[in-house]
Amino acid sequence: MEESEFDNILDDWFIESLKTYKDLHVYQLEHPTRVIEWTSGKTVCVAGYAPSKNEILELLLPLKLLADENKGLCAERDFKVAHGGFTDDPVRCLKHIPGSRHVVTNDGRSSDLQVWDLGGDDSGEFYQDHHRFETKETHQNRLDVIRRTGSIEGKRTVSESGSRIAARLSPQPEVLHGAQSSNVHLTELTSGRTLFTLETDSAHPLMSLQFVSDSVFLTGCCNGSVYVADTRSSAAPQLSPAPASSAPSDLWWTDASAGLLSCRIVRLSSSGRAVVSDLRKLGGAVSQAQLDVQSRQYGLDDVTVSWAPVLDDCIAVSGFSGVVQIFNTSSWRSEVQDALPLFEHRGHTVSSQAEDGAPVVVTSHTWHPERPRTLLSAASDGSVHVWDWVDQSVASR
């Protein structure tokens, strides 16, 4: 594309964005990330996934975005690095431990986990490092650095996609982790003790792993099947088979909305079929739709689908291309119909010119935990966007 043509497209999109976004802020990482994890309502963790040395960063969102009133008086529009560190391995999965300043990562090469101290407080650490003596100056410098403090050995030495990780708020820090549906474990971080093991007859690679309540969790498998288990019970997990008529070659990504009593599950296939079901009635589909996606070979980590935490019936989808799409599932029916997005964030594609000519693809996205229409998204060119979109159907009323 000619530079002048690119500039015209960018200018047109910028003018359009004045109407379609309440806020839009852009940050450029040195290397792209596949993980965006909230550590508070104002900070997120990102990390590179290159084969060699990578950064782990905790970023503070732009102050202008966080200002509820008088945004024009807030000049600070940039992301800021709050804490940072390095890892010799790629980071393909990263989860924050609620109530702590620690995150757990997996490199995608094995099922082993790495534990990191984000710094910034004086709470001590999970492993032996907290016995080390430090001067006051050395300790202060440590507070700004993200440091590895321990590891958890996985149950398999080789995994096709590494482990998925989930965490919950608990008196003692714990993580749920596993690479396949037959080897999911709940581990206490301080002791490394196994508190619970999920036993299934299948060994499908996991696409998702998440708590839907304090004790109930969900595992989404690559073939579209879902297991629901309770860490308080030794009973067999509840199984929801893959959606009917799914192609054997399809990969399926899964997400569940928060809240056990009204929990809904969305399963999205690599061919673009989306199926919504109720956790209490996993046998059938509440609604479904066909999304317009590009036909190509997808990897296990390529696509992200997620429920909005505080916006009813909405999901976000990314990874099929360079855009993030928002869908309102309340208009979907039991019969499969084509679905049009409520909103599309095209900022990564229109603001990037890949040097190698490869198209820019969104690598990850996440909803803000409290702001209804605010999302963060990252792309293969290293760009990170935080944006608050305008629902035109509401704005035009």
Side-chain angles (χ1 to χ4, degrees), residues 47-126:
Y49 57 91
S52 56
K53 196 168 188 177
N54 291 280
E55 284 186 306
I56 298 181
L57 302 174
E58 185 179 36
L59 302 178
L60 175 66
L61 269 61
L63 297 181
K64 192 176 182 72
L65 172 77
L66 301 173
D68 293 327
E69 298 179 358
N70 300 323
K71 288 180 177 286
L73 299 180
C74 183
E76 186 56 72
R77 296 182 53 86
D78 296 329
F79 288 79
K80 288 190 175 297
V81 176
H83 302 89
F86 292 94
T87 172
D88 292 328
D89 301 306
V91 178
R92 308 290 293 207
C93 187
L94 184 152
K95 288 296 176 183
H96 175 239
I97 306 300
S100 80
R101 291 287 297 160
H102 292 78
V103 296
V104 178
T105 63
N106 175 258
D107 59 14
R109 296 168 170 168
S110 74
S111 56
D112 295 345
L113 307 182
Q114 299 78 44
V115 183
W116 301 83
D117 175 13
L118 294 176
D121 68 1
D122 193 22
S123 60
E125 296 163 3
F126 293 144

Side-chain angles (χ1 to χ4, degrees), residues 153-218:
E153 184 177 350
K155 302 304 178 182
R156 288 172 57 88
T157 56
V158 178
S159 171
E160 185 178 354
S161 62
S163 282
R164 309 300 175 181
I165 309 169
R168 62 182 179 181
L169 185 63
S170 56
Q172 293 295 324
E174 303 166 355
V175 290
L176 191 68
H177 58 105
Q180 298 177 338
S181 54
S182 59
N183 64 6
V184 176
H185 297 265
L186 181 65
T187 301
E188 186 179 67
L189 290 186
T190 51
S191 64
R193 183 166 58 99
T194 298
L195 304 175
F196 175 86
T197 300
L198 176 67
E199 297 182 356
T200 69
D201 295 330
S202 67
H204 298 293
L206 296 186
M207 304 295 257
S208 65
L209 186 61
Q210 66 186 115
F211 281 101
V212 294
S213 74
D214 290 340
S215 59
V216 177
F217 69 90
L218 175 150

Side-chain angles (χ1 to χ4, degrees), residues 10 13 23 74 92 111 117 131 145 153 188 194 204 238 240 282-283 297 300 322 391:
L10 186 59
W13 180 78
D23 282 293
C74 183
R92 308 290 293 207
S111 56
D117 175 13
H131 296 301
V145 177
E153 184 177 350
E188 186 179 67
T194 298
H204 298 293
Q238 182 182 1
S240 174
L282 284 174
Q297 191 73 28
L300 298 181
D391 186 347

